[in-house]
Amino acid sequence: MWGIFFFTPSNAPKKIAVFDTTLRDGEQTPGISFTLQQKQEIARQLSEIGVRTIEAGFPASSGAEEETVRSIAEMGLSADVCGLARMLKSDVDVCIDCNVSMVHVFIPTSDVQRIHTIRKSREEVLHALEEVIAYTRDHMEKVMFSAMDATRTDWDYLLQVYEAAVNAGATVINVPDTVGVMTPSAMRQLASRISDRIRVPIDVHCHNDFGLAVANTLAAVEGGASQVQVTVNGLGERAGNADLSQTVMSLESIYGISTGITTQKLVETSRLVSRYAGFTLPPTQPIVGDNAFSHESGIHSHGVIACSQTFEPGIMTPEMVGHRRRIKIGKHTGRHAVRQLLADVHMHPTEAQLDEIVEKIKFIAGKGKKLTDADLYEIAESVIGGNGGKRVFKLQDITVITGNHTIPTASIRALVDDKEHIHSSVGSGPVDAAMKAILAVLPAPIVLKEFRIEAISGGSDAIGHVTIAVEDPSGRIFDASAAGDDIVLASVEAMLRAVNLLHRR
Ligand code: MN
């Protein structure tokens, strides 16, 4: 390691438990709604990667929500399954009926929420929480208490509230920054004041209104919090919650604190939730975004090829989070990266040829075109010559049918290494069926890693631009693109270009 230091404040616990609320606060993201089956799959994934507690929902909010929470509680996951309840015995009863292993009760404590939402005095809030927490604890071993809007609550009163909750039987207390107004230094101070007075574990729930959710969560840990509430991809109300990957990797890699999370599955988890949420992450998203470990500029690519720590954190590698390092070509590409990418597929241009290839790349990219691996090899072939164009996979014909009473089906006839294959596949749509048919006849197992389709022009006759990335068994990723007014055929063409790059290894 080069000049890496770990900063672990003396107050910070050595182990942090991860509490995930993707299925509760995350689903409250405007425009997002998961099906029951999707929620079960997300819960299974979260449990498998080592999340300690999964907040499955708010059972008293509807019959459907109650069913969902019950079904997740009865999946037999190793994670604890938690249900949310207002400070009402009737809400708690619904949670108990769902067989959850933890109930999370909350009540507003800030003056603004107390006066305008529940219209209770400070004393009435104390009485209500004492009564309901004691009742919950009679039926449940694990009870978490949240003082909603804690960070905007008078701190002296807040400490009184937490003491009352613990005396009534709360086993964990949560400090929610409900509207995301804290700063890291204030959060660290608040958490340490609470941990000086309270003997149960402290949990923290931060919102990202000012982009500080992860920073505030880490600051709470510095102050003594031992459980962090997160969501996958930072989903949640308004600007969302603290992101699971960012929080976990900061704790693990920067602070050197163990979270019990199998970090190698963070990218996979993020993609699962993105797909179900219909929510595309920006490429610059930390840890899990497409560009998190991608390099294009000449200086950076050259550095990373020589030693990855030159322009990456080093204490966090792509392998640690289930990502891949990628050298991308574009307007800022340099000679070293191009030489390396071509050497990987046994193409060895002379110095003069390399100059010409780089010049062509910059010319094309300078006009705003995104370049794929397929484009790079075609440009290199046009300069060097050679037989790189030999296609392992030759499509002879493809027929795709779809309709409102038809399962989308694709039938193909293709030559693979000069041997004829005939195959049919069904899919969720015509493009999916066609992709599956092509992948089914390939000799080695190829995984589709990325599929993006953009409409270039408006109207129903818009040109569709398809970009595909495939991964071979050794983990190497190749991408290719194609455009056309028939999106099924454009997808097929992009897929053929991508799979025909695989034999270059
Ligand atoms: Mn929240």
Side-chain angles (χ1 to χ4, degrees):
M1 288 290 167
W2 308 85
I4 300 301
F5 62 93
F6 286 107
F7 172 64
T8 312
S10 52
N11 241 4
K14 297 285 166 275
K15 264 186 119 128
I16 294 291
V18 175
F19 179 109
D20 183 282
T21 183
T22 305
L23 299 178
R24 204 275 301 163
D25 207 322
E27 210 208 15
Q28 288 170 222
T29 307
I32 287 181
S33 157
F34 298 116
T35 66
L36 171 64
Q37 203 196 349
Q38 288 172 342
K39 285 187 179 179
Q40 289 172 336
E41 279 183 52
I42 292 169
R44 183 173 296 113
Q45 177 79 9
L46 292 171
S47 180
E48 273 174 17
I49 68 170
V51 165
R52 177 78 63 81
T53 312
I54 295 167
E55 187 161 54
F58 179 13
S61 66
S62 74
E65 182 83 349
E66 183 184 339
E67 273 317 302
T68 302
V69 174
R70 180 175 294 117
S71 81
I72 293 170
E74 291 174 352
M75 284 169 75
L77 301 174
S78 52
D80 278 334
V81 175
C82 171
L84 182 69
R86 289 167 294 185
M87 204 56 77
L88 296 170
K89 287 182 185 172
S90 55
D91 274 24
V92 171
D93 286 338
V94 185
C95 285
I96 295 168
D97 279 350
C98 287
N99 288 322
V100 293
S101 44
M102 176 191 260
V103 176
H104 174 193
V105 286
F106 73 96
I107 192 163
T109 53
S110 65
D111 288 345
V112 61
Q113 290 200 354
R114 194 172 49 72
I115 293 164
H116 295 284
T117 67
I118 53 170
R119 296 162 194 229
K120 280 191 194 318
S121 68
R122 288 186 174 186
E123 289 66 35
E124 285 170 325
V125 165
L126 285 170
H127 288 143
L129 70 90
E130 280 166 350
E131 191 190 346
V132 176
I133 291 172
Y135 173 79
T136 313
R137 192 59 204 283
D138 283 345
H139 300 84
M140 274 283 144
E141 208 179 303
K142 294 174 183 172
V143 180
M144 180 164 74
F145 164 71
S146 273
M148 186 151 82
D149 207 14
T151 53
R152 289 193 301 177
T153 301
D154 174 83
W155 284 14
D156 289 330
Y157 174 62
L158 182 66
L159 287 167
Q160 218 184 316
V161 163
Y162 284 136
E163 275 184 338
V166 173
N167 290 337
T171 55
V172 182
I173 58 136
N174 170 241
V175 185
D177 186 22
T178 304
V179 292
V181 292
M182 284 301 256
T183 62
S185 56
M187 189 53 120
R188 182 176 175 174
Q189 208 186 108
L190 177 59
S192 62
R193 271 179 66 174
I194 297 169
S195 70
D196 285 345
R197 287 268 288 272
I198 300 295
R199 56 186 186 279
V200 301
I202 297 167
D203 167 276
V204 64
H205 174 104
C206 294
H207 274 275
N208 208 27
D209 296 72
F210 286 91
L212 292 172
V214 173
N216 287 336
T217 302
L218 299 172
V221 169
E222 292 181 13
S226 60
Q227 179 165 291
V228 291
Q229 288 204 11
V230 294
T231 58
V232 179
N233 298 336
L235 295 180
E237 302 259 18
R238 305 183 311 282
N241 290 79
D243 174 79
L244 175 125
S245 310
Q246 293 165 33
T247 306
V248 164
M249 290 315 295
S250 298
L251 288 171
E252 296 266 350
S253 290
I254 301 175
Y255 287 74
I257 295 176
S258 157
T259 61
I261 297 290
T262 307
T263 60
Q264 294 79 0
K265 293 198 167 176
L266 288 172
V267 169
E268 179 186 301
T269 306
S270 161
R271 288 186 179 157
L272 177 80
V273 171
S274 283
R275 196 164 79 237
Y276 289 164
F279 187 86
T280 314
L281 293 175
T284 49
Q285 179 88 357
I287 323 278
V288 296
D290 275 356
N291 287 358
F293 298 93
S294 292
H295 308 274
E296 183 188 296
S297 82
I299 292 168
H300 284 223
S301 301
H302 182 197
V304 165
I305 289 167
C307 169
S308 64
Q309 285 184 32
T310 52
F311 291 100
E312 283 179 11
I315 50 172
M316 173 173 73
T317 63
E319 293 76 20
M320 282 164 75
V321 300
H323 218 320
R324 301 261 176 224
R325 177 173 302 114
R326 294 191 69 188
I327 305 294
K328 294 198 170 178
I329 56 160
K331 192 174 161 184
H332 313 100
T333 291
R335 295 162 46 92
H336 282 95
V338 173
R339 185 194 283 122
Q340 179 70 47
L341 287 169
L342 293 176
D344 285 349
V345 294
H346 310 296
M347 292 173 88
H348 302 284
T350 64
E351 292 303 300
Q353 286 171 334
L354 187 62
D355 287 338
E356 197 181 332
I357 294 166
V358 172
E359 209 172 291
K360 284 194 174 183
I361 289 169
K362 286 179 188 270
F363 177 76
I364 296 169
K367 289 196 295 189
K369 187 180 183 317
K370 272 192 205 133
L371 288 152
T372 62
D373 296 321
D375 298 317
L376 168 67
Y377 303 140
E378 278 165 25
I379 292 166
E381 265 157 27
S382 73
V383 172
I384 307 171
N387 76 335
K390 177 183 175 289
R391 289 194 146 203
V392 182
F393 190 107
K394 290 189 199 121
L395 182 70
Q396 295 182 299
D397 53 63
I398 184 160
T399 305
V400 183
I401 54 165
T402 189
N404 60 344
H405 292 298
T406 310
I407 299 170
T409 308
S411 305
I412 64 165
R413 194 160 58 85
L415 291 177
V416 181
D417 289 326
D418 298 322
K419 193 166 168 282
E420 191 180 63
H421 291 261
I422 295 172
H423 188 84
S424 300
S425 287
V426 296
S428 58
V431 172
D432 185 45
M435 299 300 98
K436 283 181 173 150
I438 294 170
L439 290 174
V441 299
L442 292 172
I446 301 305
V447 182
L448 182 63
K449 294 297 280 189
E450 238 178 88
F451 183 93
R452 215 168 44 243
I453 185 157
E454 294 148 306
I456 294 176
S457 46
S460 60
D461 60 348
I463 300 285
H465 187 265
V466 179
T467 307
I468 275 177
V470 292
E471 186 181 29
D472 73 9
S474 71
R476 175 78 201 263
I477 296 175
F478 290 93
D479 62 3
S481 63
D485 48 14
D486 181 321
I487 56 164
V488 178
L489 295 182
S491 304
V492 167
E493 178 57 26
M495 182 60 116
L496 295 181
R497 292 184 79 203
V499 301
N500 275 311
L501 298 175
L502 295 168
H503 79 283
R504 291 175 180 273
R505 284 287 281 174

